[in-house]
Amino acid sequence: MPFVTWFKRHLVVIAGLLTLGYLLLPNIVVTVFSFNNPKGRFNYAWQQFSLDAWKDPCGVADLCGSLSVSLQIAFWATLGATVLGTMIAFALVRYRFRARGAVNSLIFLPMAMPEVVMAASLLTLFLNMGAQLGFWTVLIAHIMFCLSFVVTAVKARVMSMDPHLEQAAQDLYAGPVQTFLRITLPIAAPGIAAGALLSFALSFDDFIITNFNAGSTVTFPMFVWGSAQRGTPVQINVIGTAMFLIAVLFVLASMVIGNRRTKQKA
Amino acid sequence: MAAVTEAPPLAPTPEKKPPRKRGRWTPYWLLLPGILWLLVFFALPMVYQASTSVQTGSLEEGYKVTWHFATYWDALSEYWPQFLRSVLYAGAATILCLALGYPLAYLIAFRAGRWRNLIMILVIAPFFTSFLIRTLAWKTILADSGPVVSTLNSLHVLDVTSWLGMTSGDRVLATPLAVICGLTYNFLPFMILPLYSSLERIDGRLHEAAGDLYAKPITTFRKVTFPLSMPGVVSGTLLTFIPAAGDYVNAELLGSTDTRMIGNVIQTQFLRILDYPTAAALSFILMAGILFMVTFYIRRSGTEDLV
């Protein structure tokens, strides 16, 4: 009986860890198969250990080109969406004005819309305007769908901010600009950073909206999509593994820095 | 996404803010660029799409608005199986996400202790590996001769799923089961994060109180934990169902022509067949259908303040 009792007591933990395994399984497979030396065009069956792909991640035509296109788009989309989104968030939290409800729903709708609908409607707009599809249309689309996520992230942070801090600064004769730069912005920074990080990830990973509006521009997800039909080079797994590791290290580093700060304060 | 990014309030939020005397126009200037962007590149395209869906003509001769509503009828009568499939697959994936995601969210919120941050990272980090690469990895995992399929086969699970029409023969790839598995996998974090943020707000003392009042753990869950996590359940199911219903990547990579969803049809109509009116009508029907279902769902679950 002890096993049954133990099992019952830890049922939630076991189920939770199984789900975590389900979430991580593809990442493990991607990592393992980045050391594969496949026969033929498709990297779906294990053949032989090899470091070739890690030694030469750009060895496949157009792969690193598409990666750099994606990074550029993600960078500018993040910058654009973060600036515009932060401004909207501040206006929504700090001011009462007419049309607040309308603005709120305009922010909410893009997040509640299936991507394929947004992608298709944006394409009809660009076709009607006779716009040349490519880098710029993709960038415009990415800023559009990242914007709402930035607004929500920044709004949550600014809403939980104590307005007395700013009043105190003004009592101490800080001007509006000084108050904003020295008090408001540093407090809102984690929200802005979260929004920016989310934008970067969303933009870098977006396939559906990009696929509709990219014309002949090839982003990294589009390269992967194309290679799924033609045959997937091992280098794709290398990039995928590297991205996962960079993300984990990045988050770990930011947590270590955060911990140190709180310890210093205490 | 509201619940995902919402951080727990640091200080009690004051209800009313002193209206500023200076800068009556400031909020409008702050809003202007971003709202303009959304109006031009989100709202206006919807109008264009609406007008495209009632046009007739051809690529060569150009299109004209002729208020040809029959396109909607034709699209619906020709592609209703794909619509139905999208709802069924997305619904199944949502239920699976809830069943799989709840224990993990609960684990992070109440049981993880000092492992909490690590598990959180492991939930979020896969986001940063391209989801297409991870979806392709499922091709390896579910390969015909792979360990997963042979295990399921020897346990006679595939006999049952084949009988249910979820798989065919000894295969999992290119069947509905593979597509649902991929959808569940891809949208699982969108379920876990809102669930976690609403579970995390529950006061642990409520559990103790329930225990003190002789409630069994299962009763505590049914009467205390689950009702209090409803906002997370509602926003999680919406964040899973809506994108899953419009997705065409999983159906394309893991499915076959028999598992095509409405997203696949819209994509083909728009990018390959170039039949813009039909494609626009299809995506309008999808949007209207989802808005209708979401409104109904939010009404029924009684959390209208959520959105």
Side-chain angles (χ1 to χ4, degrees):
Chain A
M1 259 347 237
F3 175 74
V4 177
T5 348
W6 177 88
F7 185 77
K8 263 186 170 171
R9 183 167 301 159
H10 295 282
L11 190 61
V12 174
V13 178
I14 296 166
L17 290 178
L18 282 175
T19 304
L20 195 62
Y22 178 67
L23 268 177
L24 290 174
L25 185 62
N27 281 85
I28 296 166
V29 169
V30 169
T31 310
V32 170
F33 277 76
S34 72
F35 296 106
N36 192 16
N37 184 12
K39 277 183 202 151
R41 293 185 300 147
F42 291 96
N43 185 17
Y44 295 140
W46 179 259
Q47 300 289 343
Q48 195 184 4
F49 182 84
S50 145
L51 280 173
D52 292 352
W54 279 92
K55 282 182 200 148
D56 185 19
C58 284
V60 185
D62 303 333
L63 187 144
C64 284
S66 71
L67 204 57
S68 116
V69 170
S70 273
L71 286 173
Q72 283 173 42
I73 289 174
F75 175 80
W76 292 113
T78 304
L79 193 69
T82 308
V83 171
L84 299 180
T86 306
M87 286 163 67
I88 296 180
F90 268 97
L92 281 174
V93 178
R94 284 310 170 79
Y95 297 91
R96 319 211 138 249
F97 53 91
R98 281 188 202 194
R100 253 175 81 111
V103 169
N104 268 322
S105 19
L106 192 61
I107 301 295
F108 172 73
L109 271 174
M111 295 191 284
M113 194 70 68
E115 261 193 281
V116 72
V117 175
M118 281 197 282
S121 66
L122 205 52
L123 178 61
T124 41
L125 175 81
F126 287 142
L127 288 174
N128 272 300
M129 294 195 323
Q132 175 78 39
L133 296 178
F135 185 90
W136 290 103
T137 49
V138 174
L139 183 59
I140 286 171
H142 283 204
I143 292 179
M144 183 271 286
F145 73 74
C146 290
L147 199 54
S148 306
F149 291 94
V150 176
V151 174
T152 356
V154 179
K155 225 171 92 177
R157 178 80 192 176
V158 179
M159 253 166 34
S160 66
M161 205 165 123
D162 190 345
H164 296 121
L165 288 172
E166 287 169 313
Q167 286 165 14
Q170 275 164 357
D171 288 346
L172 295 167
Y173 298 105
V177 177
Q178 223 179 347
T179 313
F180 181 77
L181 289 179
R182 305 281 297 262
I183 307 289
T184 317
L185 207 56
I187 297 179
I192 299 174
L197 204 63
L198 196 61
S199 297
F200 193 89
L202 287 171
S203 163
F204 189 82
D205 207 19
D206 180 75
F207 172 70
I208 295 182
I209 290 179
T210 314
N211 187 31
F212 272 76
N213 295 293
S216 57
T217 305
V218 177
T219 63
F220 181 65
M222 287 174 72
F223 181 86
V224 178
W225 175 262
S227 76
Q229 270 103 39
R230 291 193 310 267
T232 40
V234 188
Q235 276 81 353
I236 282 182
N237 290 45
V238 174
I239 309 274
T241 311
M243 273 155 66
F244 181 71
L245 292 178
I246 292 170
V248 172
L249 286 178
F250 191 79
V251 181
L252 280 177
S254 69
M255 268 171 34
V256 170
I257 295 169
N259 276 343
R260 259 199 213 144
R261 280 216 184 127
T262 39
K263 267 181 199 157
Q264 272 172 1
K265 271 183 198 162
Chain B
M1 203 73 184
V4 177
T5 42
E6 220 172 303
L10 297 177
T13 322
E15 257 310 296
K16 52 178 184 218
K17 298 252 158 54
R20 299 214 168 172
K21 280 170 197 155
R22 257 181 308 171
R24 219 163 61 96
W25 296 101
T26 325
Y28 298 103
W29 287 118
L30 283 171
L31 286 171
L32 190 69
I35 292 305
L36 214 56
W37 200 281
L38 283 180
L39 283 176
V40 175
F41 298 117
F42 175 76
L44 186 63
M46 294 292 164
V47 178
Y48 265 104
Q49 194 166 35
S51 106
T52 305
S53 70
V54 290
Q55 288 174 348
T56 44
S58 65
L59 262 188
E60 292 80 24
E61 292 159 22
Y63 289 98
K64 267 203 199 94
V65 176
T66 50
W67 301 107
H68 190 259
F69 281 106
T71 314
Y72 279 87
W73 178 245
D74 295 342
L76 205 54
S77 58
E78 192 174 349
Y79 295 108
W80 69 266
Q82 282 86 347
F83 273 112
L84 185 66
R85 216 175 272 146
S86 300
V87 173
L88 291 178
Y89 288 4
T94 308
I95 293 168
L96 279 172
C97 277
L98 187 61
L100 292 172
Y102 209 105
L104 185 54
Y106 191 94
L107 169 71
I108 306 173
F110 297 121
R111 297 282 192 88
R114 61 202 179 90
W115 299 101
R116 181 191 271 204
N117 282 334
L118 180 73
I119 301 180
M120 210 58 188
I121 293 174
L122 292 177
V123 172
I124 297 169
F127 258 126
F128 288 80
T129 313
S130 174
F131 83 103
L132 283 170
I133 301 183
R134 287 180 284 128
T135 309
L136 283 174
W138 279 104
K139 277 196 152 176
T140 308
I141 299 168
L142 299 176
D144 292 344
S145 51
V148 175
V149 171
S150 52
T151 311
L152 290 178
N153 220 350
S154 60
L155 292 172
H156 296 286
V157 174
L158 291 187
D159 295 345
V160 181
T161 49
S162 295
W163 183 73
L164 288 169
M166 300 290 285
T167 54
S168 55
D170 292 343
R171 298 201 74 192
V172 173
L173 270 186
T175 64
L177 186 68
V179 178
I180 292 171
C181 172
L183 288 172
T184 308
Y185 168 76
N186 268 318
F187 299 107
L188 193 51
F190 293 94
M191 179 67 88
I192 293 173
L193 295 177
L195 278 178
Y196 164 72
S197 75
S198 71
L199 282 172
E200 192 231 28
R201 268 175 233 176
I202 299 176
D203 191 336
R205 284 174 295 185
L206 286 173
H207 293 159
E208 288 166 28
D212 289 346
L213 295 167
Y214 298 105
K216 283 188 203 154
I218 185 80
T219 319
T220 309
F221 177 76
R222 214 161 45 85
K223 297 249 168 152
V224 180
T225 317
F226 191 74
L228 285 174
S229 69
M230 263 324 264
V233 174
V234 173
S235 59
T237 42
L238 291 179
L239 284 172
T240 321
F241 182 81
I242 298 172
D247 179 82
Y248 60 81
V249 173
N250 285 284
E252 177 87 29
L253 294 182
L254 302 173
S256 67
T257 44
D258 296 333
T259 59
R260 281 163 63 86
M261 294 165 69
I262 197 61
N264 302 73
V265 179
I266 296 176
Q267 191 247 10
T268 319
Q269 292 286 337
F270 243 114
L271 300 180
R272 273 188 235 150
I273 301 175
L274 305 179
D275 180 354
Y276 298 128
T278 306
L282 283 169
S283 74
F284 245 85
I285 298 171
L286 173 66
M287 185 176 79
I290 285 184
L291 281 180
F292 179 75
M293 277 193 280
V294 166
T295 323
F296 181 73
Y297 177 68
I298 292 177
R299 287 262 165 84
R300 282 301 295 269
S301 55
T303 39
E304 277 170 75
D305 51 324
L306 190 87
V307 287

